[in-house]
């Protein structure tokens, strides 16, 4: 049975979009022959898709992965870049060749409302790594590798990855990874707190990531949104007091006075499973 949406999801040419469980969207980068590298237009497609996801009331969590077992996303399609380099471009073409405000694949600089999880099934390089650095939870296959190879081709990681890498694992480690272009294994990424866990097998990766998403959507939708916003506010702002004030202003009344708080308390008292209502975004 197909899920019912308030509005239809945007059509995409570079992604497979499915809804494997209630309230969960699965996005698969569908360019396996190109190691799931992304051409310019794909970033705008994804920007539209994840904007729709944030505003679709029936959805709460998204999972992103890559087609096949060799690559999650190998970054920007450099063959496309090479073909277009030096050609005279119109203003609209120049705009298309830039990333949307939400960054690489509409995710690397996305603030968003709802959590996005990454199931990393192989190479996560360049922009592919930058996607992971801004996802809320990252599960990786044991075969996954991460790296920022931009300097090898005369570029730099410009989609938000550099500051996020510093915040996650510190200046010295971030400097080594970015300035040597060294790839790291899933195990090293785990030791540096760049990912949450390694899947039991490469084949069970997406299933294990979806299990985390499924656990999240069992909670109060209002609480999910408020908690994620609180975590993001703390990451973006060095002041604990400011981050706390920000989240209180945005969500305190909404959560406490909301229907889901009443539903949750009543279910707790009666020892029943709460039947949450989906919030208006």
């Amino acid at each position: 049975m197909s899920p019912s949406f308030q509005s239809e999801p945007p059509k995409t040419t570079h992604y497979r979009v499915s809804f494997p469980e209630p309230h969960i969207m699965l996005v698969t980068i569908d360019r396996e022959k190109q190691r799931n590298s992304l051409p310019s237009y794909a970033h705008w497609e994804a920007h539209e898709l994840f904007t729709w996801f944030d505003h679709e009331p029936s959805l709460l969590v998204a999972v992103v992965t890559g087609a096949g077992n060799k690559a999650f996303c190998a970054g920007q399609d450099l063959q496309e870049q090479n073909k277009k380099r030096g050609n005279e471009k119109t203003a609209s073409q120049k705009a298309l060749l830039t990333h949307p405000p939400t960054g690489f694949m509409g995710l690397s600089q996305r603030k968003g409302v709802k959590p996005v999880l990454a199931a990393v099934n192989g190479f996560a390089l360049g922009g592919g790594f930058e996607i992971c650095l801004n996802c809320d939870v990252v599960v990786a296959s044991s075969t996954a590798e991460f790296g920022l190879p931009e300097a090898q081709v005369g570029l730099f990681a410009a989609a938000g990855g550099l500051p996020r890498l510093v915040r996650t694992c510190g200046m010295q480690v971030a400097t080594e990874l970015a300035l040597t272009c060294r790839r790291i294994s899933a195990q090293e990424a785990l030791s540096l707190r760049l990912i949450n866990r390694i899947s039991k097998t490469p084949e069970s990766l997406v299933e294990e990531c979806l299990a985390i998403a499924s656990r999240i959507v069992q909670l109060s939708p209002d609480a999910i949104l408020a908690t994620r916003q609180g975590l993001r506010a703390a990451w973006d702002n060095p002041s604990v007091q400011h981050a706390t004030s920000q989240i209180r202003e945005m969500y305190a009344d909404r959560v406490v006075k909301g229907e889901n708080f009443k539903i949750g308390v009543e279910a707790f008292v009666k020892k029943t499973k709460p039947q949450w209502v989906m919030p208006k975004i």
Side-chain angles (χ1 to χ4, degrees), residues 30-267:
D30 195 17
R31 285 172 57 84
E32 185 176 357
K33 291 182 180 179
Q34 295 82 17
R35 297 203 305 173
N36 294 324
S37 61
L38 294 177
S40 301
Y41 186 66
H43 305 301
W44 292 90
E45 280 192 343
H47 170 74
E48 291 184 9
L49 178 62
F50 285 104
T51 299
W52 172 83
F53 160 72
D54 267 339
H55 290 89
E56 171 51 50
S58 67
L59 296 173
L60 282 173
V61 180
V63 173
V64 60
T65 192
N69 56 18
K70 292 186 178 179
F72 168 73
C73 175
Q76 186 71 27
D77 185 340
L78 294 181
Q79 290 187 356
E80 178 207 41
Q81 293 288 300
N82 187 55
K83 288 177 183 178
K84 294 184 177 181
R85 184 173 55 86
N87 295 338
E88 199 167 324
K89 304 177 185 68
T90 65
S92 59
Q93 287 173 326
K94 288 178 181 178
L96 183 61
L97 287 172
T98 63
H99 290 159
T102 48
F104 192 95
M105 197 186 155
L107 289 174
S108 70
Q109 299 209 62
R110 171 185 178 268
K111 290 184 180 294
V113 178
K114 302 171 183 176
V116 175
L117 284 56
V120 184
N121 51 309
F123 298 125
L125 304 176
F129 190 13
E130 292 185 278
I131 292 171
C132 300
L133 289 166
N134 195 36
C135 278
D136 298 281
V137 174
V138 180
V139 181
S141 165
S142 59
T143 61
E145 291 186 17
F146 302 84
L148 296 175
E150 284 86 348
Q152 291 176 335
V153 295
L155 295 172
F156 69 98
L162 295 177
R164 296 191 189 285
L165 191 61
V166 170
R167 291 193 177 207
T168 302
C169 57
M171 175 62 79
Q172 286 72 25
V173 171
T175 298
E176 181 205 345
L177 295 181
L179 290 186
T180 67
C181 302
R182 181 170 69 86
R183 294 185 188 182
I184 61 173
S185 66
Q187 191 61 52
E188 185 173 358
L190 182 64
S191 71
L192 294 173
R193 299 184 179 181
L194 290 167
I195 65 175
N196 292 76
R197 64 182 68 174
I198 298 172
S199 62
K200 294 176 183 176
T201 67
E203 293 75 21
S204 66
L205 170 69
V206 173
E207 180 184 348
E208 290 183 46
C209 197
L210 285 171
I212 297 174
S214 182
R215 184 168 180 175
I216 293 172
V217 300
Q218 301 305 311
L219 307 175
S220 160
D222 294 318
I224 292 170
L225 302 183
T227 299
R228 181 185 183 274
Q229 186 59 43
L231 293 167
R232 289 273 160 170
W235 199 21
D236 291 337
N237 194 301
S239 167
V240 173
Q241 184 175 3
H242 185 276
T244 302
S245 298
Q246 181 180 334
I247 189 60
R248 282 180 175 272
E249 289 174 10
M250 291 178 64
Y251 281 99
D253 282 349
R254 174 176 170 175
V255 171
V256 174
K257 296 178 182 178
E259 190 174 353
N260 280 322
F261 177 57
K262 298 175 185 176
I263 292 170
V265 171
E266 183 176 346

